[in-house]
Amino acid sequence: MQAMRRNWKGLAAAAAMTVAAHAALAAVPLPALNANPAEVSVSGLSAGGFMAVQLHVAYSATFKRGAGIVAGGPYYCAEGSVLNATGRCMTHSTSIPVSTLVSTTNSWAASGTIDPVSNMTGSKVYLFSGTADNTVKQAVMDDLKTYYQSFVPAANTVYKNNLGAGHAMVTDDYGGACGTTASPYINNCGFDLAGEILTHLYGPLNPRNNGTLGGTFTEFNQSEFITGHGAAATGWIYVPQACTTASCRVHLVLHGCKQNYTDVGDQYVKKTGYNRWADTNNIVLIYPQTSTAATNSCWDWWGYDNANYAKKSGPQMAAMKAMVDRVTSSGGGSSLPAPTGVGTSGATASSMVIGWAGVSGATGYNVYRGGSKVNAAPVAGTNYTDTGLAASTTYSWTVAALDASNAQGAMSTAATGTTTSGGTGGTCYTASNYAHTLAGRAYALWGLTYAYGSAQAMGLWNIYVTTTLKQTGPNYYVIGTC
């Protein structure tokens, strides 16, 4: 969106706190619906489109059905740089190194930081780009199609790029003029994009419900899965009536920048066309929400929140995976509350200690890394050492208590930690923080400088502050000496 190119420093912390406080009172826990884990997909617009690609690629074992991308771009397009994000990944001012991004994808999959790429061979992809979209140019979407050709069969991909739409989610009966780019970034183009996406991902569908919907909208407690990190206190879920008793499909819907509930009310949640198809086709819709504390209310697709934003360990990524896991679980859990005070310590190159405050009535605990349980047997104490980790890598952990029947209670909020580099080798570079960013060893955000990979704070972004960075891996730097 145009908002993605301006006002990157604009925050509304006070407003976000007020909205979060009100929402937390109204929200309920995200329900466990025993939905079908083999029928999960994702779609999104703009920043949500980039995030949908990230989720599809990094969690390809979860989003098996595939992804719908509206005005997005290739996986890891920004490579951690806001300059890349607003340049080549939006305006295509320079070429996007698609082959390099494919290589990065394969490398990360081999190391286990994202799921195996082989999962994508059975998924489907729907791509949409309007000819009047001057925010994310069609050349960027062309490169996304090229990127996917390395992983998804051509027969499984649809690319719609001949409609005169601006930068927006397109409907056939709601929104602004088709060719415009303006809030709420929903345009009436006489084209049912939500229906086209869902039909491609799931096959022939029953006719949509154009009348009163039979399901329920619920504002759920998103803080159960993530606090801070640009996420709102609550999200939304639409559950068709049939899905209260039957096992249904799941589709995750991601808004773009300046489109969260605070920005545009329920327009993206209720007016983009997904719900009326979901209602008659047994599809549960999850609408996660950013907060206005996120840069321009965008999802993190260039690293404004976390250096591992595109990996399974990215805080926003892990939270949305956990939401899907909840909805596809059968419930029957314990009433034990979520553990509090979850934190990390004692980092080594291959391990991390996770600790938490004890829960009254708990007989043990389960520990999850990136949404996957890591302990073979229940943990008796209130700390756990997770091993087999990669050096110089940021991970995310959550913890849940178990009762006497071994039923699991509510999941804690996530805690992140970064393993050490291991060894003393590496190449060192001593330069001004400004020079480091020009050389691609660091990036600037809100006037401060951060090392690529480790995201360690280096101080002010200028020519006067000098820092020594040690390269400990491909595109990975830490503050130190050789």
Side-chain angles (χ1 to χ4, degrees):
M1 299 176 184
Q2 289 179 340
M4 295 169 64
R5 289 203 295 260
R6 63 178 183 264
N7 298 329
W8 291 91
K9 298 180 182 179
L11 300 176
M17 290 174 64
T18 301
V19 171
H22 169 76
L25 294 175
V28 300
L30 186 67
L33 298 171
N34 196 28
N36 190 343
E39 296 289 323
V40 178
S41 60
V42 61
S43 67
L45 162 69
S46 194
F50 282 96
M51 178 61 81
V53 172
Q54 288 178 188
L55 287 165
H56 181 216
V57 174
Y59 282 115
S60 57
T62 295
F63 295 93
K64 296 183 180 73
R65 272 294 186 174
I69 315 301
V70 183
Y75 179 74
Y76 201 50
C77 181
E79 294 186 290
S81 166
V82 68
L83 297 179
N84 285 343
T86 55
R88 71 190 192 191
C89 299
M90 293 176 63
T91 65
H92 212 265
S93 54
T94 58
S95 61
I96 298 173
V98 176
S99 60
T100 298
L101 302 179
V102 169
S103 296
T104 297
T105 304
N106 286 320
S107 175
W108 287 357
S111 70
T113 57
I114 64 174
D115 286 345
V117 296
S118 58
N119 295 321
M120 287 187 278
T121 59
S123 64
K124 294 184 177 181
V125 172
Y126 188 99
L127 309 176
F128 179 90
S129 178
T131 60
D133 189 340
N134 292 314
T135 304
V136 176
K137 297 280 192 177
Q138 282 202 342
V140 177
M141 287 291 290
D142 295 343
D143 284 345
L144 174 58
K145 180 183 179 182
T146 300
Y147 169 86
Y148 266 128
Q149 286 173 350
S150 295
F151 306 107
V152 177
N156 288 5
T157 301
V158 168
Y159 185 18
K160 173 75 173 177
N161 62 352
N162 60 354
L163 191 65
H167 189 71
M169 179 63 191
V170 167
T171 78
D172 62 351
D173 59 4
Y174 182 84
C178 186
T180 61
T181 296
S183 183
Y185 306 102
I186 304 171
N187 289 358
N188 182 357
C189 293
F191 184 77
D192 183 8
L193 182 53
E196 293 296 321
I197 290 173
L198 294 175
T199 298
H200 179 63
L201 296 179
Y202 290 110
L205 299 178
N206 297 322
R208 72 190 192 187
N209 179 2
N210 288 325
T212 301
L213 300 180
T216 57
F217 283 98
T218 303
E219 187 178 15
F220 69 89
N221 181 12
Q222 196 167 261
S223 297
E224 184 178 355
F225 305 95
I226 185 172
T227 56
H229 298 290
T234 63
W236 291 84
I237 183 171
Y238 180 72
V239 181
Q241 178 61 37
C243 298
T244 60
T245 56
S247 180
C248 291
R249 304 152 165 165
V250 180
H251 186 69
L252 192 76
V253 187
L254 300 172
H255 63 73
C257 299
K258 292 296 184 182
Q259 274 189 318
N260 65 31
Y261 200 87
T262 302
D263 292 320
V264 300
D266 64 6
Q267 291 183 89
Y268 203 84
V269 173
K270 294 186 177 181
K271 300 296 187 181
T272 46
Y274 287 98
N275 306 313
R276 52 195 178 189
W277 286 101
D279 199 56
T280 54
N281 290 280
N282 294 3
I283 304 173
V284 175
L285 298 171
I286 307 173
Y287 293 91
Q289 298 289 302
T290 63
S291 72
T292 52
T295 302
N296 273 351
S297 303
C298 302
W299 295 107
D300 188 11
W301 63 272
W302 68 90
Y304 74 74
D305 173 66
N306 188 276
N308 290 324
Y309 66 94
K311 300 177 181 178
K312 292 198 293 183
S313 59
Q316 292 183 3
M317 299 278 282
M320 284 188 263
K321 166 65 161 59
M323 293 177 198
V324 171
D325 288 346
R326 170 68 62 79
V327 171
T328 56
S329 70
S330 59
S334 165
S335 60
L336 289 175
T340 59
V342 180
T344 59
S345 63
T348 72
S350 61
S351 67
M352 184 73 68
V353 178
I354 300 90
W356 56 91
V359 173
S360 178
T363 60
Y365 301 88
N366 283 334
V367 180
Y368 293 80
R369 183 202 324 136
S372 300
K373 188 162 74 76
V374 294
N375 55 295
V379 179
T382 55
N383 63 77
Y384 177 82
T385 301
D386 193 9
T387 59
L389 309 179
S392 301
T393 302
T394 299
Y395 294 93
S396 176
W397 290 270
T398 53
V399 182
L402 302 171
D403 63 17
S405 300
N406 216 36
Q408 182 170 292
M411 192 71 68
S412 73
T413 56
T416 58
T418 304
T419 52
T420 60
S421 61
T424 58
T427 302
C428 284
Y429 303 87
T430 300
S432 71
N433 285 350
Y434 178 76
H436 280 307
T437 61
L438 292 183
R441 296 185 289 267
Y443 62 95
L445 183 63
W446 301 334
L448 299 176
T449 316
Y450 300 87
Y452 268 125
S454 68
Q456 290 178 325
M458 298 162 56
L460 293 174
W461 181 47
N462 59 36
I463 62 174
Y464 306 108
V465 178
T466 298
T467 306
T468 298
L469 293 179
K470 179 170 68 174
Q471 185 172 9
T472 60
N475 297 318
Y476 201 99
Y477 298 86
V478 298
I479 299 173
T481 57
C482 296

